[in-house]
């Protein structure tokens, strides 16, 4: 078995993946910017490829049977450019870290943790109890609304419920509510869901139905203290509407880990939005890191290694997005 790891980021996973493999497999890292001949040679004999993106600009891969996306999102994969015989699969393992991030951020928000830390580091006790500083909030008793009850949403629900919150959720696909969710709204009742939520945690996939889902009218349904957290994809929330609501203090705030603009690899200082979210004091912002943990990489590479073994042994693959023409089917 020969597997190409395509691109700088994915190539860096080679050592972790090698430790997870249970079968003999040659791993071939191909960083960005290699000479065309090296890329052509690597793909010409590859039976599997680990990628973030795949397009028509790539050389032929006639032996490819598995295109393994290294994460959950596959919007950078041009399905038409993938050889028909190859199954396309994705990988998860990020939901545990993202569940922790969500609860951490909501706790920090309620307890004004970053505000106190910054003020005290500057040498002032004025926000403290000794000087009758402002009271801060508690997380218990809040209503946490989870928009999208997939793997990430369920991980958030488990943790939030354990901290004595009321957990509500809304999901596009009808399903029974898990024990960690107090109420599961049908998709058509978004307005009622938003009105009830103190925190709205966006965990749903980005598609034509969810793009711009939280637009001006939807955001207006939130209470003046409500906080929106986006862990999914930036365009699910209308960029202009959210910025205006935050700047004008019509909602309590936002916790943003995903964005509307992503930088090219040669410009790590590029702005994440056309608006100055960084200048708003009611925004916490991070550079798409909520799932970026050692544990996530370990779990994902275990899934990739399992798919390599299954491919070699002719068993059903895990997390199949598109089965190959040779009949790969989704595993458990």
């Amino acid at each position: 078995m020969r597997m190409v790891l395509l691109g700088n980021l994915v190539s860096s996973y080679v050592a972790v993946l090698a430790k997870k493999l249970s079968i003999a497999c040659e791993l071939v890292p191909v960083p960005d910017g290699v000479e065309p001949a090296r890329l052509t040679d690597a793909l010409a004999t590859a039976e599997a490829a680990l990628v973030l993106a795949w397009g028509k600009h790539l050389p032929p891969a006639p032996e490819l049977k598995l295109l393994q996306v290294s994460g959950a999102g596959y919007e950078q994969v041009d399905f038409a450019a993938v050889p028909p015989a190859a199954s396309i699969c994705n990988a998860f393992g990020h939901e545990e870290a993202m569940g922790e991030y969500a609860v951490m951020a909501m706790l920090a928000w309620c307890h004004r943790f970053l505000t106190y830390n910054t003020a005290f580091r500057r040498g002032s006790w004025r926000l403290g109890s000794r000087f009758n500083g402002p009271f801060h909030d508690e997380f218990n008793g809040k209503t946490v609304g989870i928009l999208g009850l997939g793997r990430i949403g369920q991980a958030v629900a488990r943790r939030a419920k354990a901290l004595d919150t009321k957990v509500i959720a809304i999901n596009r696909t009808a399903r029974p509510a898990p024990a960690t969710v107090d109420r599961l709204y049908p998709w058509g009742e978004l307005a009622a869901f938003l009105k009830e939520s103190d925190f709205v945690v966006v965990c749903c996939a980005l598609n034509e139905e969810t793009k711009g889902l939280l637009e001006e009218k939807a955001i207006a349904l939130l209470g003046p203290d409500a906080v929106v957290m986006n862990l999914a994809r930036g365009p699910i929330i209308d960029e202009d509407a959210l910025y205006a609501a935050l700047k004008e203090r019509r909602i309590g705030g936002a916790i943003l880990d995903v964005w509307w603009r992503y930088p090219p690899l040669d410009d790590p200082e590029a702005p994440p939005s056309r608006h100055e979210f960084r200048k708003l004091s009611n925004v916490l912002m991070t550079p798409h890191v909520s799932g970026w943990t050692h544990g996530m990489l370990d779990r994902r590479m275990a899934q990739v290694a399992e798919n390599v073994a299954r491919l070699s042994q002719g068993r059903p693959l895990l997390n199949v997005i598109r089965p190959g023409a040779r009949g790969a089917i989704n595993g458990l």
Side-chain angles (χ1 to χ4, degrees):
M1 179 73 66
R2 193 165 192 259
M3 184 177 212
V4 168
L5 285 71
L6 195 60
N8 289 344
L9 184 60
V10 173
S11 292
S12 71
Y13 301 160
V14 63
V16 179
L17 177 56
K19 292 179 181 179
K20 299 293 181 183
L21 290 169
S22 61
I23 64 162
C25 180
E26 180 187 3
L27 300 178
V28 184
V30 181
D32 297 312
V34 299
E35 57 275 15
R38 179 179 168 188
L39 176 60
T40 298
D41 288 347
L43 291 181
T45 56
E47 295 172 79
L50 183 63
V51 305
L52 275 174
W54 187 276
K56 295 178 181 178
H57 64 286
L58 291 169
E63 302 300 318
L64 197 68
K65 302 179 183 69
L66 169 63
L67 186 78
Q68 175 69 63
V69 183
S70 62
Y74 47 88
E75 59 268 21
Q76 297 184 73
V77 175
D78 182 349
F79 281 33
V82 180
S87 294
I88 304 172
C89 302
N90 61 351
F92 298 94
H94 55 307
E95 56 270 22
E96 302 303 329
M98 294 176 74
E100 291 186 3
Y101 173 102
V103 169
M104 170 198 69
M106 289 186 284
L107 284 167
W109 186 277
C110 289
H111 288 270
R112 303 182 68 195
F113 186 82
L114 297 179
T115 299
Y116 290 136
N117 175 71
T118 300
F120 199 40
R121 282 178 177 275
R122 289 173 177 168
S124 175
W125 284 87
R126 292 187 181 278
L127 295 180
S129 57
R130 188 177 183 88
F131 290 88
N132 196 26
F135 290 99
H136 55 92
D137 211 343
E138 297 176 353
F139 188 46
N140 81 85
K142 297 295 185 187
T143 298
V144 177
I146 299 173
L147 203 168
L149 198 57
R151 295 169 187 259
I152 299 168
Q154 291 183 50
V156 175
R158 290 194 300 272
R159 290 161 175 80
K161 192 61 183 172
L163 291 171
D164 296 325
T165 66
K166 179 180 180 181
V167 177
I168 63 174
I170 188 167
N171 199 61
R172 286 184 302 144
T173 305
R175 63 175 60 182
T180 52
V181 173
D182 297 291
R183 181 174 181 181
L184 180 56
Y185 281 88
W187 192 246
E189 296 185 17
L190 179 63
F193 165 83
L194 293 173
K195 289 177 181 178
E196 189 179 352
S197 300
D198 294 312
F199 288 93
V200 175
V201 186
V202 181
C203 304
C204 61
L206 174 64
N207 53 39
E208 289 304 313
E209 189 176 1
T210 61
K211 185 176 182 180
L213 180 67
L214 296 186
E215 37 69 69
E216 184 177 5
K217 291 181 180 178
I219 293 171
L221 297 170
L222 297 170
D225 296 319
V227 177
V228 176
M229 181 189 301
N230 196 352
L231 303 181
R233 291 292 185 268
I236 294 170
I237 306 178
D238 183 283
E239 183 178 8
D240 298 331
L242 179 62
Y243 180 78
L246 291 165
K247 187 176 182 180
E248 297 164 15
R249 303 282 171 161
R250 288 185 273 113
I251 62 173
I255 300 166
L256 303 175
D257 186 51
V258 293
W259 297 92
W260 297 269
R261 293 179 178 177
Y262 280 81
L265 293 178
D266 59 355
D267 187 11
E269 313 302 324
S273 168
R274 60 174 171 266
H275 296 300
E276 294 278 14
F277 283 92
R278 64 187 178 88
K279 293 184 177 180
L280 301 180
S281 61
N282 55 349
V283 175
L284 297 181
M285 50 193 292
T286 51
H288 204 143
V289 295
S290 60
W292 197 244
T293 65
H294 293 296
M296 173 279 297
L297 183 60
D298 191 71
R299 289 185 290 270
R300 280 190 178 172
M301 291 306 101
Q303 291 174 28
V304 172
E306 176 64 18
N307 260 356
V308 171
R310 286 172 177 245
L311 179 67
S312 175
Q313 297 159 2
R315 294 188 289 130
L317 300 174
L318 300 173
N319 305 321
V320 174
I321 304 163
R322 188 201 75 180
R326 298 177 185 178
I329 59 173
N330 201 359
L332 299 177

